[in-house]
Amino acid sequence: MKRLNKKEALTLLKSADLLGLGQMADNIRKRLHPKGIVSFIIDRNINYTNVCINKCRFCAFYRDKNDPEAYVLSKKKLFNKIKETIALGGTQILIQGGLHPELDIDYYVDLLKTIKERFNVHVHGFSPPEVCYMADKAGLPVRKTLKILNKAGLDSIPGGGAEILSDRIREMISPKKIGKDRWLKVMEEAHLIGMKTTATMMFGSVEEPEDIIEHLDAVRRLQEKTGGFTAFIPWSFQPGNTELGAKARKRGSAKVGANGRSPLQTATAVDYLRVLALSRVYLDNVPNIQASWVTQGLKMAQVALRFGANDFGSTMIEENVVAAAGVKYSVSVTDIINSIKKAGFHPAQRDMYYNIIKKNM
Ligand code: SF4
């Protein structure tokens, strides 16, 4: 199939027949993953702190330093979480947090070293805004910072903090966060020193279809250069307990309008499937597309497997960020395996590099 250009992608996103677009994505999924395997990873999100100076308007997770709910996890608690994860068959931890004004690079280096001394676990952690914050505070270039973290035990980097890679949109939803170019720069530098990363996209807030295409195009172009993205994960904005959601409600604009969408443009199930399918078609150089059961629930994640997704992401033994927005699906590894089987696929446990470590489940 000929590679889509931006104009064609925009037309598909705006007006393609949903099932036709889904079929295109499903055909690509079948070509890339012909054995019908749907993979997942057993891991846990560990949020070492919820203190964050960025105060993004779409985020329900952050707290001020002096808030009674503010925390920094002690090493003891963090190690216990890793122990529990390994006991449950986990192979990875996803460690992320807010931008805490009192933590510096020495804290992160020490944390990584002590984790690696005690546990045989893959550390996927610190999204580009955290990496930039550490680098800026230490007065170091991004590449040097990544090398220091990598040497201390950081194995790979999650694609968080991308939201929509358009500075116009970032100015509206997360004005203090790093811009598009810096997000891409961190990923490029990580790929150049041999670290793999994922890429995410949070849509369904204030963006237009054109912004989604810009985002997909930025990811595709960087992947063309480095090949370092293992997967793409589109997920939809959850407005509960967020400044963006509260403002829309106050204006009465969170109500669904005649076009079936609110002015905040919170994504419907159809929007989700449309964006997911287009991501599979447009990102022809990214091998894996994840379904987001954390925001869509298991039922929609099953449907997503026919709209381009070939992976269920993490089992999320623990998840706090989406849960802070009031969205929490309680899901066990057995639920995930059964959902994949009932959708007509073969479940398999994988690692961060998409090597299969267990199948025939
Ligand atoms: S999304 Fe991340 S950077 Fe933004 S406020 Fe929340 S924790 Fe901070």
Side-chain angles (χ1 to χ4, degrees), residues 171-190:
E171 195 50 46
M172 285 191 255
I173 66 174
S174 52
K176 292 193 192 151
K177 204 172 231 177
I178 56 169
K180 169 186 178 177
D181 289 348
R182 279 201 98 189
W183 189 93
L184 289 165
K185 178 81 181 155
V186 173
M187 291 312 192
E188 182 172 356
E189 294 286 14

Side-chain angles (χ1 to χ4, degrees), residues 52-56 58-62 97-99 129 163 174 177:
C52 188
I53 54 155
N54 264 4
K55 304 184 183 189
C56 301
F58 63 86
C59 178
F61 173 71
Y62 75 84
L99 309 187
E163 282 74 67
S174 52
K177 204 172 231 177

